[in-house]
Amino acid sequence: MPFPIINSIASWFLKQRIHQIELFLKYPNEVQEELLMNLLRGSEGTVIGKEYEFTSIKSYQTFTERVPISSYEDLEPLIERTRKGEQNIFWHTPIKWFAKSSGTTNAKSKYIPVSNEALEDCHYKGSKDLLCLYLNNNENSELFIGKSLRLGGSSQIYEDNNTYFGDLSAILIENMPIWAEFSSTPSNKVSLMSEWESKLAAIINETRNENVTSFAGVPSWMLVLMNRVLAETGKDNLLEIWPNLEVYFHGGVSFDPYREQYQKIVPKKDFQYYEIYNASEGFFAIQDLNYSNDLLLMLDYGIFYEFIPMDIFGTPEQKAIRLADVELNKNYAIVITTNGGLWRYLIGDTVRFTSLSPYRIRVTGRTKHHINVFGEELMVENTDMAIAKACQLTQTEVVDYTVAPVFMKDKEKGAHEWMIEFKNNPENPEVFRKTLDETLQTLNSDYEAKRYNNMTLNPLILNIARPNLFYDWLKENKKLGGQHKIPRLSNQRDYLEQLKNLQVFQK
């Protein structure tokens, strides 16, 4: 089909959806309140609906008084009943799909329920809205003259008791409409391959001669693929292989530590980067402006949002607030109620609002992935930004990193110990270490206070990882591909010690 016709069709669909987006932009809190009531009304007859008497919940206040905030462990017994074939437990329509997520803090797998409503009205709707917002901001886009190179998880779909589980990306590929495969590469067969190394080779084989105009996936794993493509083709940059590249849709981890590396392999001044925020539990936010780091919170995907201020998270004073009551530049843990049957579920992510009209956010980390051993409240957002700045100033590039505390012992003060794998090691590691430490102090006043005159924290300790250390750890723990990663920050030393055991220190 000629490009002008495709563009006209896409523009028509775009205009229909933009009108709906404008509605929740204008009436965000009303849209959210109505959505909550619809979720409650629909599930009145479920096991959970009867237990908490959904029929008589007519206000947000009553909802919070009756329905407790839950973790996965709280919901697991109900989820297991559904996995064994029992229905109408926490959602009123049949659920046969479960997104398997091992997470990064627990070896035990989680099985997140994915209803048909969650598939259609949340995950697929989010994917379409990403294109809508991108095309709305880039009218001269030629996205549809080629294909999108996608890099998803590396697990196939498995059947158990007539229910199915696998990576979310595998579930989405399995259920996507036929027309969607024509605009994507590689094929579904290759996308669903389980063995990571074989999958990389197959992806390169299928995509190197395609007309790729965009690519989508987690920055860390996509970089592995792209560097492999360049190595196998002998090209200097991706534009020599795919000259019509115009945008990279990314999510899963912060893009800051990888930005400069991507700019080198895609040396195109007007190349776009568009970020999304999604997870097995839902599709939450989309970058809605060119050259922005902020994500528009999508309010009509069947997800009702609440937020717990991180300064009271996990304390007796912990209390969730609704969207209407959030404040700017404050860290919150997200609580979601979804059209997949998750009721007041703690997803484990933290965000801060950069705008209240419209509601725009930045993902700052995980509730379990921060360091606060000494009252420094160090978030992943801080360390990602500091790494990016230190790399820029020292002309280095980072592959991956993790940080853990060095606990106070006897009269020794505490510290933060870093393990960083560089693509190219810094010429002077001490300059990099000092730059990193000083940048963190400018980004985080609590860390700065603890570092003042080495009062509580000694200077950070830098370990330079051998090549492929993080990859080897992931491989050893069967976590290659998809969205698997070693936690960037931890209040314990487990991950760091495991890496040090694999490490051969460079002299």
Side-chain angles (χ1 to χ4, degrees):
M1 188 180 291
F3 168 66
I5 297 175
I6 297 174
N7 192 53
S8 298
I9 295 171
S11 297
W12 185 85
F13 278 110
L14 168 66
K15 288 174 184 174
Q16 313 311 305
R17 178 55 185 152
I18 287 294
H19 174 71
Q20 294 172 330
I21 292 174
E22 287 171 347
L23 186 66
F24 78 67
L25 290 177
K26 192 173 183 181
Y27 304 105
N29 301 312
E30 292 84 350
V31 166
Q32 279 280 284
E33 296 287 337
E34 183 182 354
L35 189 154
L36 174 62
M37 291 303 133
N38 288 339
L39 292 173
L40 289 165
R41 298 291 78 82
S43 292
E44 288 175 352
T46 62
V47 170
I48 274 190
K50 290 174 181 175
E51 180 181 352
Y52 298 120
E53 300 178 351
F54 282 4
T55 51
S56 59
I57 297 180
K58 309 295 182 185
S59 69
Y60 171 70
Q61 183 65 33
T62 309
F63 175 66
T64 61
E65 290 168 356
R66 246 184 241 175
V67 183
I69 291 173
S70 302
S71 65
Y72 180 80
E73 289 68 29
D74 298 324
L75 299 179
E76 186 177 25
L78 297 178
I79 291 173
E80 283 305 302
R81 284 170 62 182
T82 304
R83 286 191 66 218
K84 290 174 182 175
E86 197 175 344
Q87 296 292 345
N88 211 39
I89 303 293
F90 44 79
W91 189 244
H92 57 90
T93 64
I95 292 179
K96 66 174 184 175
W97 297 98
F98 294 85
K100 184 180 178 183
S101 170
S102 62
T104 45
T105 57
N106 194 328
K108 188 176 181 182
S109 293
K110 297 179 181 179
Y111 294 88
I112 305 299
V114 182
S115 66
N116 287 333
E117 291 84 354
L119 273 175
E120 293 297 332
D121 301 332
C122 185
H123 292 292
Y124 288 141
K125 191 174 182 179
S127 298
K128 287 184 280 189
D129 281 355
L130 173 61
L131 294 176
C132 282
L133 291 165
Y134 173 74
L135 291 171
N136 191 51
N137 293 330
N138 300 279
E139 292 183 358
N140 296 322
S141 166
E142 296 188 343
L143 200 64
F144 297 117
I145 68 169
K147 294 187 176 184
S148 176
L149 192 163
R150 63 191 179 194
L151 180 62
S154 52
S155 292
Q156 292 177 308
I157 298 294
Y158 301 90
E159 184 178 358
D160 185 24
N161 295 310
N162 206 31
T163 61
Y164 304 86
F165 65 89
D167 281 359
L168 175 67
S169 55
I171 292 173
L172 295 178
I173 289 169
E174 189 77 21
N175 288 278
M176 70 168 49
I178 294 173
W179 61 264
E181 185 172 0
F182 294 133
S183 61
S184 302
T185 188
S187 63
N188 286 358
K189 182 181 178 182
V190 169
S191 294
L192 293 172
M193 287 175 67
S194 294
E195 206 283 308
W196 173 249
E197 293 290 347
S198 303
K199 180 175 179 172
L200 275 189
I203 290 175
I204 294 169
N205 185 53
E206 276 201 11
T207 61
R208 61 195 297 174
N209 295 317
E210 291 277 13
N211 179 21
V212 174
T213 53
S214 67
F215 49 102
V218 177
S220 51
W221 289 112
M222 184 62 78
L223 196 58
V224 171
L225 172 63
M226 293 306 174
N227 283 328
R228 189 77 62 89
V229 169
L230 292 174
E232 291 203 9
T233 59
K235 303 296 185 184
D236 292 326
N237 65 70
L238 297 179
L239 297 176
E240 293 179 25
I241 306 164
W242 302 305
N244 296 313
L245 273 177
E246 63 172 78
V247 60
Y248 172 31
F249 301 113
H250 62 88
V253 298
S254 170
F255 193 56
D256 285 335
Y258 305 103
R259 189 177 300 277
E260 285 201 6
Q261 295 180 63
Y262 275 95
Q263 288 171 347
K264 285 181 181 178
I265 62 175
V266 191
K268 186 178 182 181
K269 192 175 181 182
D270 57 350
F271 187 77
Q272 296 277 9
Y273 298 92
Y274 260 62
E275 185 174 356
I276 63 168
Y277 170 33
N278 70 336
S280 299
E281 294 86 352
F283 203 120
F284 310 122
I286 301 171
Q287 179 182 327
D288 65 317
L289 300 171
N290 288 343
Y291 311 109
S292 172
N293 292 319
D294 301 334
L295 308 179
L296 180 68
L297 194 63
M298 306 304 284
L299 303 178
D300 63 349
Y301 286 1
I303 299 175
F304 178 77
Y305 293 98
E306 296 175 86
F307 303 89
I308 303 173
M310 280 302 288
D311 54 4
I312 58 170
F313 179 80
T315 71
E317 291 76 39
Q318 175 177 297
K319 182 185 177 184
I321 59 175
R322 57 186 160 181
L323 187 62
D325 299 321
V326 299
E327 300 173 27
L328 283 174
N329 296 315
K330 195 171 182 178
N331 275 311
Y332 293 100
I334 305 180
V335 179
I336 57 174
T337 293
T338 77
N339 54 5
L342 299 174
W343 298 92
R344 303 200 81 199
Y345 178 81
L346 261 174
I347 190 174
D349 289 339
T350 61
V351 301
R352 64 181 174 86
F353 284 85
T354 57
S355 167
L356 301 182
S357 182
Y359 288 105
R360 290 197 181 99
I361 61 170
R362 291 190 190 180
V363 182
T364 55
R366 300 277 294 168
T367 54
K368 293 181 180 179
H369 297 176
H370 65 286
I371 300 182
N372 195 31
V373 173
F374 312 103
E376 66 274 50
E377 280 291 353
L378 197 68
M379 306 295 290
V380 173
E381 183 185 37
N382 303 146
T383 55
D384 278 344
M385 290 175 70
I387 279 276
K389 185 66 181 262
C391 283
Q392 185 182 37
L393 293 176
T394 59
Q395 298 297 298
T396 53
E397 297 175 358
V398 164
V399 174
D400 214 336
Y401 74 89
T402 193
V403 192
V406 176
F407 297 105
M408 293 178 176
K409 190 176 180 182
D410 299 325
K411 293 183 179 180
E412 276 297 310
K413 296 171 184 173
H416 289 174
E417 185 172 4
W418 290 62
M419 178 71 78
I420 303 179
E421 182 181 334
F422 294 92
K423 185 179 179 183
N424 55 309
N425 288 343
E427 236 176 74
N428 188 329
E430 177 56 23
V431 171
F432 183 92
R433 187 200 64 75
K434 191 175 180 183
T435 304
L436 182 61
D437 199 11
E438 290 173 352
T439 306
L440 279 172
Q441 293 180 55
T442 66
L443 293 170
N444 184 311
S445 58
D446 291 321
Y447 179 77
E448 181 184 33
K450 303 302 180 292
R451 283 284 296 112
Y452 180 70
N453 286 338
N454 300 339
M455 193 175 295
T456 305
L457 288 175
N458 281 325
L460 66 83
I461 300 164
L462 172 63
N463 297 308
I464 296 180
R466 63 168 172 78
N468 297 318
L469 177 66
F470 284 78
Y471 188 93
D472 290 345
W473 185 94
L474 290 164
K475 188 173 185 178
E476 190 174 276
N477 288 273
K478 296 180 171 58
K479 290 179 178 286
L480 285 180
Q483 294 200 1
H484 295 305
K485 50 193 175 288
I486 297 175
R488 294 272 163 91
L489 305 180
S490 175
N491 276 321
Q492 303 299 325
R493 291 185 57 82
D494 306 31
Y495 298 107
L496 184 68
E497 292 299 340
Q498 289 171 30
L499 286 166
K500 289 176 82 169
N501 287 337
L502 277 177
Q503 165 81 312
V504 176
F505 285 102
Q506 296 180 351
K507 302 297 182 185

